Every structure is written in C-alpha cells, then in structure tokens.
C-alpha cells in the first residue's frame, strides 16, 4: 500500500486520540500509528470515570476506550506517560520530554481541553 511507510503521530491519549487511531486502522491505514499521552494509563473516557468508576458502580476497566491488548493487536505504538515538549513542523518531528525525537508524515493534535470555572457569583 502507498501508506505502508508513512508515520501518523497522534498527540493526546484521551478519547479523541484513541478513536483517531482506531479510525486510521479501520479505514485501512497500514503505516505506523504512534499515540503519545502524558498520562501513564491507557486512553480512557472521562465521563464514565466520574459517573461509574469513582462512585464504585463500575470496574476500572470500564473507563478504557479499548482494552489494553487492542493497541498491540491494532499495531498502535503507545508512548504513555510522555510529554511532547516541542513540535518541529519543518522537520516533521516531535520531541518527547525524555529526549526521544519521533518523525512523522502526518500529525494530529488531540490534546483536548481543560474546563474553566467562571468567576461569576453563584457559579
């Protein structure tokens, strides 16, 4: 295939990043897929975390986007507990906090968002 020697890097180990990796594979992408996340756990969904697991109604594994074995089966390389400290768009490379340089052909930033509290009386 044309994309067999291409590398797709996904920065963000949450739901969006995991689903992007899944979509690449389900759509037939055969190149390297590298998922980088700053948390040490496999990608998980936050709503089930607070609504099920933390309340004791669900098991820990219920929050994961995929079973941990799925990533190896789908040939998705995980770099968990890693922070991206630099993106060089000219060289098409990302540098991880521990110094590793990863070259890519395509890059997806799926880092999500952080909720902000409104500084308004009554919130």
């Amino acid at each position: 295939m044309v994309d067999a020697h291409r590398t797709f890097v996904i920065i963000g180990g949450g739901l969006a990043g995991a689903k992007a990796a899944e979509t690449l594979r389900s759509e037939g992408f055969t190149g390297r897929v590298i998922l980088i996340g700053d948390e040490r756990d496999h990608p998980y969904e936050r709503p089930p975390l607070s609504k099920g697991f933390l309340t004791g109604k669900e098991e820990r594994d219920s929050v994961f986007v995929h079973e941990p074995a799925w990533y190896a089966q789908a040939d998705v390389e995980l770099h968990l507990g890693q922070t991206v400290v630099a993106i060089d768009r000219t060289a098409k490379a990302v540098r991880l906090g521990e110094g590793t340089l990863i070259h890519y052909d395509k890059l997806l930033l799926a880092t999500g968002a952080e909720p902000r509290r409104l500084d308004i009386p009554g919130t």
Side-chain angles (χ1 to χ4, degrees):
M1 265 197 123
V2 174
D3 59 16
H5 300 290
R6 297 173 59 87
T7 300
F8 201 117
V9 170
I10 302 166
I11 299 174
L15 177 62
K19 287 298 189 177
E22 176 185 334
T23 300
L24 283 166
R25 290 300 186 223
S26 68
E27 295 289 323
F29 182 77
T30 60
R32 283 178 81 191
V33 176
I34 300 172
L35 179 66
I36 304 167
D38 63 354
E39 295 188 41
R40 296 198 180 280
D41 285 314
H42 285 80
Y44 61 91
E45 297 186 62
R46 281 166 174 57
L49 177 69
S50 61
K51 292 178 178 45
F53 174 65
L54 292 178
T55 61
K57 297 176 185 171
E58 299 287 334
E59 295 296 319
R60 182 177 187 268
D61 290 349
S62 69
V63 301
F64 293 123
V65 179
H66 302 291
E67 293 182 17
W70 178 88
Y71 297 93
Q73 293 166 355
D75 197 21
V76 173
E77 299 174 39
L78 293 176
H79 290 264
L80 301 176
Q82 297 291 324
T83 303
V84 173
V85 295
I87 299 172
D88 184 337
R89 292 176 44 211
T90 303
K92 290 191 167 186
V94 297
R95 182 172 306 281
L96 303 183
E98 36 65 286
T100 301
L101 190 66
I102 300 173
H103 292 274
Y104 62 84
D105 294 291
K106 296 288 183 179
L107 175 67
L108 173 65
L109 299 177
T111 56
E114 191 171 311
R116 295 184 318 180
R117 296 207 182 263
L118 295 175
D119 189 22
I120 300 172
T123 58

